[in-house]
Amino acid sequence: MTTSNDPTEVRTSSGTPLPVLSQPQGELLTVNIDNIPLLKNAIVEGAHFQPLCLDMENNLWVVLANFDPGVVLPIHYHTGPAQVYTLQGCWKYKEYPDQPQTAGSYLYEPGGSVHTFYTPEENTEQTIFLVIVSGANVNFTEDGKFHSILDALHLTQLTDQAAKKQGLSDLPYIRGGEMHLTGKRR
């Protein structure tokens, strides 16, 4: 990939210059989930994910999550918006038990949302969903005490730890900063 910090002129495919400056881009920043191993039990037992984009400067994280039946996450507060597209299975929020998210569901959560995620014990398959979060999840215990923060920085650390534990290296995902791809091309 061609990298540079200098703004550059962008041209149409016919060579006509555009009237705006843009950040240089030598190639598309793209990954394929088939090339990213599933990081098992990386968040809690039964919660697995594939990192697609972890941008620490903008605190943006995009992961493909794969949860076993019966997984419960701590109640959490979103500092920014979150988007969740469910591909398979079912998940719910304890606060909204009559609004299950199933295959084909798209959920937009504005910043400030508070809820407790879980996959029902009676699920017969894993639940798979794409998560796009701007900001952090501030997690609390059931008695209202601070538990932890899940953000792009923490997910980068979890990614590195889980990959090392599974004997993996050079995971290909998009990383923030001067946006670039990590890992080897496949």
Side-chain angles (χ1 to χ4, degrees), residues 1-8 10 21-27 179:
M1 178 173 159
T2 305
T3 60
S4 169
N5 289 333
D6 299 326
T8 186
V10 175
L21 293 177
S22 69
Q23 190 171 10
Q25 184 176 354
E27 63 183 0
M179 295 299 281

Side-chain angles (χ1 to χ4, degrees), residues 82-155:
Q83 300 176 69
V84 185
Y85 179 71
T86 305
L87 298 159
Q88 175 183 301
C90 174
W91 64 272
K92 298 178 183 183
Y93 286 135
K94 287 184 178 181
E95 297 78 9
Y96 307 96
D98 296 332
Q99 294 182 298
Q101 301 298 298
T102 58
S105 296
Y106 167 77
L107 176 66
Y108 177 82
E109 302 170 356
S113 298
V114 177
H115 36 248
T116 311
F117 174 100
Y118 74 100
T119 53
E121 292 272 351
E122 62 271 10
N123 278 3
T124 58
E125 61 185 349
Q126 290 188 317
T127 299
I128 301 172
F129 50 97
L130 177 70
V131 182
I132 304 167
V133 178
S134 295
N137 289 4
V138 182
N139 303 307
F140 297 92
T141 62
E142 280 300 313
D143 60 354
K145 294 182 181 167
F146 174 78
H147 177 275
S148 60
I149 292 178
L150 185 62
D151 62 1
L153 174 63
H154 192 209
L155 274 168

Side-chain angles (χ1 to χ4, degrees), residues 155-168:
L155 274 168
T156 299
Q157 292 171 332
L158 291 173
T159 295
D160 294 344
Q161 291 168 358
K164 184 177 180 180
K165 186 176 180 181
Q166 289 179 220
L168 304 169

Side-chain angles (χ1 to χ4, degrees), residues 27-46:
E27 63 183 0
L28 295 177
L29 298 174
T30 183
V31 293
N32 187 307
I33 62 165
D34 292 337
N35 298 327
I36 304 170
L38 187 65
L39 300 175
K40 298 178 182 175
N41 304 310
I43 299 170
V44 296
E45 187 70 28

